[in-house]
Amino acid sequence: MITLGIESSCDETAAAIYDGETLLSNIVLSQIELHKEFGGVFPELAARRHLDHLIDVIDKALLDANLTKKDIDLIAVASSPGLIGALLMGVNCAKSLGFALNIPVIGVNHVEAHLFANFIDTDKEVLFPAIGLIASGGHTALFLMKSKDDIHLLGTTLDDAIGECFDKVARMLDLPYPGGPEIEKLAQSGDPLSYPFKTPSIKNAPFHFSFSGIKTKILYTLYGQNGKRDTPIIPKDEYKNIAASFQKTVFKSLLNAVKKAHLEFPARSFLIGGGVSCNKALKVMFEENLPSEINICFPKKNLTLDNAAMIAALGHYKYRSDGPSPRDFTASPSSKTTSLSFCV
Ligand code: KG4
Ligand code: ZN
Protein backbone atom coordinates (compact mmCIF):
# COMPACT_ATOMS: atom_id res chain seq x y z
CA MET A 1 0.00 0.00 0.00
CA ILE A 2 1.67 3.22 -1.16
CA THR A 3 1.11 5.93 1.43
CA LEU A 4 1.66 9.63 0.85
CA GLY A 5 2.44 11.41 4.13
CA ILE A 6 1.84 15.15 4.50
CA GLU A 7 3.19 17.27 7.36
CA SER A 8 2.48 20.99 7.84
CA SER A 9 1.90 21.39 11.59
CA CYS A 10 4.52 24.08 12.15
CA ASP A 11 7.33 25.47 9.98
CA GLU A 12 8.23 22.52 7.77
CA THR A 13 6.32 21.74 4.58
CA ALA A 14 6.90 18.03 4.09
CA ALA A 15 5.78 15.06 2.01
CA ALA A 16 6.99 11.46 1.96
CA ILE A 17 6.18 8.20 0.24
CA TYR A 18 6.20 4.98 2.27
CA ASP A 19 5.25 1.50 1.10
CA GLY A 20 4.77 -0.08 4.53
CA GLU A 21 8.35 -1.33 4.76
CA THR A 22 10.56 1.12 2.95
CA LEU A 23 10.70 4.87 2.84
CA LEU A 24 10.70 5.67 -0.87
CA SER A 25 11.16 9.44 -0.55
CA ASN A 26 11.22 12.11 2.13
CA ILE A 27 11.05 15.81 1.22
CA VAL A 28 11.22 18.56 3.83
CA LEU A 29 11.07 22.24 2.91
CA SER A 30 12.15 24.22 5.94
CA GLN A 31 10.80 27.72 6.59
CA ILE A 32 13.58 28.64 9.03
CA GLU A 33 14.87 31.55 6.92
CA LEU A 34 11.35 33.03 6.77
CA HIS A 35 10.92 33.04 10.55
CA LYS A 36 14.47 33.90 11.63
CA GLU A 37 13.86 37.63 11.80
CA PHE A 38 10.98 37.08 14.26
CA GLY A 39 13.04 34.81 16.56
CA GLY A 40 10.33 32.13 16.33
CA VAL A 41 7.56 30.84 14.08
CA PHE A 42 5.13 33.50 12.75
CA PRO A 43 1.94 31.35 12.44
CA GLU A 44 0.18 33.30 9.67
CA LEU A 45 3.29 33.35 7.48
CA ALA A 46 3.86 29.64 8.11
CA ALA A 47 0.35 28.80 6.87
CA ARG A 48 0.73 30.95 3.74
CA ARG A 49 4.10 29.39 2.95
CA HIS A 50 2.60 25.87 3.26
CA LEU A 51 -0.14 26.87 0.80
CA ASP A 52 2.47 28.11 -1.68
CA HIS A 53 4.62 24.98 -1.55
CA LEU A 54 2.59 21.91 -0.56
CA ILE A 55 1.82 20.80 -4.11
CA ASP A 56 5.45 21.23 -5.25
CA VAL A 57 6.72 19.28 -2.25
CA ILE A 58 4.25 16.42 -2.92
CA ASP A 59 5.25 16.37 -6.61
CA LYS A 60 8.92 16.18 -5.64
CA ALA A 61 8.23 13.32 -3.20
CA LEU A 62 6.46 11.39 -5.99
CA LEU A 63 9.26 12.14 -8.45
CA ASP A 64 11.94 10.92 -6.02
CA ALA A 65 9.94 7.73 -5.44
CA ASN A 66 9.57 7.26 -9.19
CA LEU A 67 5.77 7.22 -8.86
CA THR A 68 2.80 9.30 -9.99
CA LYS A 69 -0.34 10.41 -8.13
CA LYS A 70 -2.23 7.44 -9.56
CA ASP A 71 0.05 5.06 -7.61
CA ILE A 72 -1.00 6.48 -4.21
CA ASP A 73 -3.32 4.17 -2.22
CA LEU A 74 -3.63 6.18 1.00
CA ILE A 75 -2.97 9.73 2.18
CA ALA A 76 -1.89 10.29 5.81
CA VAL A 77 -1.82 13.85 7.11
CA ALA A 78 -0.83 15.44 10.43
CA SER A 79 -4.16 16.77 11.72
CA SER A 80 -3.23 17.61 15.35
CA PRO A 81 -1.64 19.13 17.39
CA GLY A 82 0.06 22.21 15.93
CA LEU A 83 -0.59 25.69 14.57
CA ILE A 84 -4.18 25.64 13.37
CA GLY A 85 -3.67 27.66 10.17
CA ALA A 86 -0.65 25.56 9.25
CA LEU A 87 -2.43 22.26 9.99
CA LEU A 88 -5.47 23.28 7.96
CA MET A 89 -3.30 23.74 4.85
CA GLY A 90 -2.09 20.14 5.04
CA VAL A 91 -5.48 18.69 5.97
CA ASN A 92 -7.35 20.51 3.21
CA CYS A 93 -4.71 19.57 0.67
CA ALA A 94 -4.91 15.89 1.76
CA LYS A 95 -8.72 15.88 1.62
CA SER A 96 -8.86 17.54 -1.81
CA LEU A 97 -6.28 15.17 -3.23
CA GLY A 98 -8.03 12.18 -1.66
CA PHE A 99 -11.36 13.28 -3.16
CA ALA A 100 -9.84 13.88 -6.60
CA LEU A 101 -8.04 10.52 -6.64
CA ASN A 102 -10.89 8.69 -4.88
CA ILE A 103 -8.58 7.23 -2.23
CA PRO A 104 -8.84 7.16 1.60
CA VAL A 105 -7.37 9.84 3.85
CA ILE A 106 -6.37 9.43 7.48
CA GLY A 107 -5.56 12.22 9.93
CA VAL A 108 -2.89 11.36 12.50
CA ASN A 109 -1.41 12.81 15.65
CA HIS A 110 1.90 14.55 15.07
CA VAL A 111 3.31 13.73 18.54
CA GLU A 112 2.49 10.04 18.25
CA ALA A 113 4.09 10.14 14.80
CA HIS A 114 7.39 11.33 16.33
CA LEU A 115 7.43 8.04 18.28
CA PHE A 116 6.78 6.12 15.05
CA ALA A 117 9.91 7.67 13.49
CA ASN A 118 11.71 4.93 15.43
CA PHE A 119 10.11 2.23 13.28
CA ILE A 120 11.33 3.60 9.94
CA ASP A 121 14.58 2.69 8.17
CA THR A 122 16.10 0.87 11.11
CA ASP A 123 17.50 -2.55 11.93
CA LYS A 124 16.88 -2.02 15.62
CA GLU A 125 13.90 -3.97 16.91
CA VAL A 126 11.74 -2.10 19.40
CA LEU A 127 10.81 -4.43 22.24
CA PHE A 128 7.70 -3.68 24.31
CA PRO A 129 6.88 -2.42 26.87
CA ALA A 130 8.80 0.72 25.96
CA ILE A 131 9.14 4.18 27.43
CA GLY A 132 8.75 6.93 24.84
CA LEU A 133 9.91 10.52 25.18
CA ILE A 134 9.02 13.40 22.87
CA ALA A 135 11.32 16.40 23.12
CA SER A 136 10.39 18.94 20.47
CA GLY A 137 9.74 22.63 19.96
CA GLY A 138 6.05 22.26 20.78
CA HIS A 139 5.96 19.27 23.15
CA THR A 140 7.68 17.48 25.96
CA ALA A 141 5.87 14.30 26.87
CA LEU A 142 6.62 10.93 28.42
CA PHE A 143 4.74 7.80 27.35
CA LEU A 144 4.40 4.20 28.38
CA MET A 145 4.05 2.14 25.20
CA LYS A 146 2.69 -1.31 25.97
CA SER A 147 2.55 -1.91 22.22
CA LYS A 148 2.26 0.18 19.06
CA ASP A 149 -1.49 0.44 19.72
CA ASP A 150 -1.48 0.84 23.46
CA ILE A 151 0.21 4.12 24.31
CA HIS A 152 -0.36 5.96 27.58
CA LEU A 153 0.68 9.48 28.41
CA LEU A 154 2.59 9.49 31.73
CA GLY A 155 3.54 13.13 31.93
CA THR A 156 4.02 16.33 30.05
CA THR A 157 5.49 19.77 30.49
CA LEU A 158 3.50 22.09 32.71
CA ASP A 159 4.84 25.20 30.97
CA ASP A 160 7.35 25.53 28.11
CA ALA A 161 8.31 22.67 25.81
CA ILE A 162 12.01 21.83 26.00
CA GLY A 163 12.73 22.96 22.41
CA GLU A 164 10.89 26.22 23.06
CA CYS A 165 13.12 26.68 26.12
CA PHE A 166 16.24 26.09 23.95
CA ASP A 167 14.96 28.70 21.49
CA LYS A 168 14.29 31.28 24.24
CA VAL A 169 17.60 30.74 26.03
CA ALA A 170 19.37 30.98 22.65
CA ARG A 171 17.82 34.41 22.17
CA MET A 172 19.17 35.50 25.56
CA LEU A 173 22.61 34.30 24.43
CA ASP A 174 22.33 36.32 21.19
CA LEU A 175 22.00 33.19 19.08
CA PRO A 176 19.66 32.93 16.06
CA TYR A 177 16.48 30.83 15.69
CA PRO A 178 16.20 27.88 15.96
CA GLY A 179 18.21 27.90 19.15
CA GLY A 180 18.71 24.16 19.74
CA PRO A 181 21.46 23.51 17.19
CA GLU A 182 23.14 26.84 18.09
CA ILE A 183 23.24 26.01 21.80
CA GLU A 184 24.54 22.53 21.04
CA LYS A 185 27.37 24.03 18.95
CA LEU A 186 28.29 26.67 21.55
CA ALA A 187 28.10 24.14 24.41
CA GLN A 188 30.74 21.94 22.78
CA SER A 189 33.47 24.37 23.89
CA GLY A 190 31.89 25.06 27.31
CA ASP A 191 32.16 23.43 30.74
CA PRO A 192 28.81 21.85 31.72
CA LEU A 193 29.80 21.93 35.41
CA SER A 194 30.60 25.65 35.57
CA TYR A 195 27.06 26.75 36.48
CA PRO A 196 25.38 24.28 38.86
CA PHE A 197 21.78 25.09 37.90
CA LYS A 198 19.16 23.14 39.84
CA THR A 199 17.63 20.29 37.81
CA PRO A 200 13.94 21.11 37.31
CA SER A 201 11.48 18.68 38.86
CA ILE A 202 7.86 18.81 40.03
CA LYS A 203 7.04 17.71 43.57
CA ASN A 204 4.92 14.54 43.65
CA ALA A 205 4.75 14.45 39.84
CA PRO A 206 7.93 12.64 38.73
CA PHE A 207 6.82 12.22 35.12
CA HIS A 208 5.96 15.87 34.51
CA PHE A 209 8.40 18.56 33.39
CA SER A 210 8.89 22.28 33.85
CA PHE A 211 11.31 24.47 31.91
CA SER A 212 10.24 28.01 32.74
CA GLY A 213 12.28 28.19 36.00
CA ILE A 214 15.61 27.39 34.35
CA LYS A 215 14.83 29.98 31.66
CA THR A 216 14.40 32.66 34.33
CA LYS A 217 17.53 31.44 36.10
CA ILE A 218 19.56 31.96 32.90
CA LEU A 219 18.05 35.44 32.49
CA TYR A 220 19.09 36.38 36.04
CA THR A 221 22.54 34.85 35.55
CA LEU A 222 23.03 36.99 32.46
CA TYR A 223 21.55 40.29 33.65
CA GLY A 224 21.21 40.04 37.44
CA GLN A 225 17.81 39.77 39.09
CA ASN A 226 16.91 43.43 38.79
CA GLY A 227 19.39 44.48 36.14
CA LYS A 228 18.66 46.09 32.79
CA ARG A 229 17.84 43.48 30.18
CA ASP A 230 20.21 45.04 27.66
CA THR A 231 23.30 45.09 29.90
CA PRO A 232 24.73 41.64 30.64
CA ILE A 233 26.71 41.38 33.86
CA ILE A 234 28.93 38.57 32.66
CA PRO A 235 31.41 38.55 29.76
CA LYS A 236 30.44 37.05 26.43
CA ASP A 237 33.12 34.38 26.60
CA GLU A 238 31.18 32.88 29.54
CA TYR A 239 28.19 32.17 27.26
CA LYS A 240 29.63 28.82 26.16
CA ASN A 241 29.73 27.70 29.80
CA ILE A 242 26.14 28.84 30.36
CA ALA A 243 25.05 26.99 27.19
CA ALA A 244 26.80 23.77 28.30
CA SER A 245 25.44 23.99 31.87
CA PHE A 246 21.90 24.77 30.68
CA GLN A 247 21.92 21.89 28.22
CA LYS A 248 23.20 19.42 30.80
CA THR A 249 20.58 20.57 33.36
CA VAL A 250 17.53 20.23 31.11
CA PHE A 251 18.70 16.89 29.71
CA LYS A 252 19.18 15.65 33.28
CA SER A 253 15.53 16.43 34.02
CA LEU A 254 14.49 14.33 30.99
CA LEU A 255 16.78 11.51 32.08
CA ASN A 256 15.48 11.56 35.67
CA ALA A 257 11.87 11.25 34.48
CA VAL A 258 12.74 8.34 32.17
CA LYS A 259 14.63 6.54 34.95
CA LYS A 260 11.72 6.98 37.36
CA ALA A 261 9.28 5.73 34.74
CA HIS A 262 11.47 2.67 34.21
CA LEU A 263 11.43 1.96 37.96
CA GLU A 264 7.64 2.00 38.01
CA PHE A 265 7.03 0.44 34.59
CA PRO A 266 10.08 -1.70 33.77
CA ALA A 267 10.69 -1.22 30.06
CA ARG A 268 12.59 -3.24 27.47
CA SER A 269 13.17 -0.28 25.16
CA PHE A 270 13.46 3.47 25.25
CA LEU A 271 12.33 5.51 22.24
CA ILE A 272 12.77 9.22 21.68
CA GLY A 273 11.57 11.68 19.04
CA GLY A 274 11.31 15.38 18.23
CA GLY A 275 13.87 17.97 17.18
CA VAL A 276 15.75 18.11 20.50
CA SER A 277 16.55 14.42 20.20
CA CYS A 278 19.08 15.09 17.43
CA ASN A 279 21.35 16.67 20.07
CA LYS A 280 24.47 14.50 20.46
CA ALA A 281 25.06 15.41 24.13
CA LEU A 282 21.53 14.19 24.93
CA LYS A 283 22.19 10.89 23.17
CA VAL A 284 25.48 10.39 25.02
CA MET A 285 23.87 11.19 28.39
CA PHE A 286 21.08 8.66 27.83
CA GLU A 287 23.42 5.99 26.50
CA GLU A 288 25.74 6.40 29.48
CA ASN A 289 23.06 6.57 32.15
CA LEU A 290 20.11 4.37 31.26
CA PRO A 291 20.23 0.83 32.70
CA SER A 292 21.97 -1.58 30.34
CA GLU A 293 18.89 -3.82 30.01
CA ILE A 294 17.08 -1.08 28.08
CA ASN A 295 17.33 -1.17 24.30
CA ILE A 296 17.93 2.52 23.44
CA CYS A 297 16.44 3.72 20.12
CA PHE A 298 17.03 7.10 18.51
CA PRO A 299 15.54 7.84 15.06
CA LYS A 300 17.81 8.78 12.17
CA LYS A 301 18.67 12.49 12.30
CA ASN A 302 16.46 13.42 9.32
CA LEU A 303 13.54 11.70 11.07
CA THR A 304 13.94 13.47 14.44
CA LEU A 305 12.93 16.92 13.21
CA ASP A 306 9.47 17.41 11.71
CA ASN A 307 9.01 15.24 8.63
CA ALA A 308 6.27 13.48 6.68
CA ALA A 309 7.87 10.02 6.74
CA MET A 310 6.73 9.54 10.34
CA ILE A 311 3.21 10.73 9.38
CA ALA A 312 3.09 8.20 6.53
CA ALA A 313 4.38 5.40 8.79
CA LEU A 314 1.80 6.08 11.53
CA GLY A 315 -1.05 6.61 9.02
CA HIS A 316 -0.16 3.38 7.20
CA TYR A 317 -0.21 1.49 10.51
CA LYS A 318 -3.42 3.06 11.86
CA TYR A 319 -5.34 2.67 8.62
CA ARG A 320 -5.06 -1.12 8.90
CA SER A 321 -6.87 -1.16 12.25
CA ASP A 322 -8.99 2.02 12.21
CA GLY A 323 -9.75 2.58 8.51
CA PRO A 324 -9.92 6.11 7.05
CA SER A 325 -10.88 9.23 8.97
CA PRO A 326 -14.49 10.38 8.44
CA ARG A 327 -14.92 12.65 5.40
CA ASP A 328 -15.62 15.66 7.60
CA PHE A 329 -12.54 15.28 9.81
CA THR A 330 -10.62 18.47 10.35
CA ALA A 331 -7.51 19.88 11.97
CA SER A 332 -7.23 20.56 15.67
CA PRO A 333 -4.51 22.60 17.41
CA SER A 334 -4.90 20.67 20.65
CA SER A 335 -3.41 17.32 21.58
CA LYS A 336 -6.51 16.58 23.68
CA THR A 337 -8.18 15.14 20.60
CA THR A 338 -5.53 12.44 20.40
CA SER A 339 -6.28 8.79 20.90
CA LEU A 340 -3.46 8.66 23.45
CA SER A 341 -5.04 8.11 26.84
CA PHE A 342 -4.04 10.08 29.90
CA CYS A 343 -3.78 7.34 32.50
CA VAL A 344 -1.94 4.07 32.91
O1 KG4 B 1 10.33 18.31 16.30
P1 KG4 B 1 10.59 19.69 15.79
O2 KG4 B 1 11.21 19.81 14.43
O3 KG4 B 1 9.28 20.55 15.78
C1 KG4 B 1 8.23 20.43 16.68
O4 KG4 B 1 7.44 19.45 16.56
O5 KG4 B 1 8.17 21.31 17.55
O6 KG4 B 1 11.52 20.41 16.89
C2 KG4 B 1 12.01 21.71 16.72
C3 KG4 B 1 12.77 22.07 17.98
C4 KG4 B 1 13.24 23.52 18.04
O7 KG4 B 1 12.85 24.08 19.27
C5 KG4 B 1 14.76 23.41 17.93
O8 KG4 B 1 15.45 24.44 18.61
C6 KG4 B 1 15.01 22.06 18.57
O9 KG4 B 1 13.94 21.24 18.12
N1 KG4 B 1 16.28 21.48 18.14
C7 KG4 B 1 17.29 21.17 18.98
C8 KG4 B 1 18.35 20.69 18.16
N2 KG4 B 1 17.93 20.73 16.87
C9 KG4 B 1 16.66 21.21 16.88
N3 KG4 B 1 17.39 21.25 20.32
C10 KG4 B 1 18.55 20.87 20.88
N4 KG4 B 1 19.62 20.44 20.17
C11 KG4 B 1 19.56 20.32 18.83
N5 KG4 B 1 20.61 19.90 18.12
ZN1 ZN C 1 7.28 17.84 15.76
Side-chain angles (χ1 to χ4, degrees), residues 7 9-10 12 81 110-111 114 134 136-139 273-275 304-307 310:
E7 155 64 35
S9 66
C10 191
E12 265 93 25
H110 173 95
V111 178
H114 271 302
I134 297 305
S136 75
H139 300 90
T304 59
L305 293 156
D306 285 350
N307 65 85
M310 63 184 195

Side-chain angles (χ1 to χ4, degrees), residues 182-197:
E182 300 290 334
I183 289 187
E184 176 174 18
K185 224 186 296 159
L186 185 63
Q188 276 160 9
S189 54
D191 173 7
L193 301 175
S194 51
Y195 290 84
F197 300 128

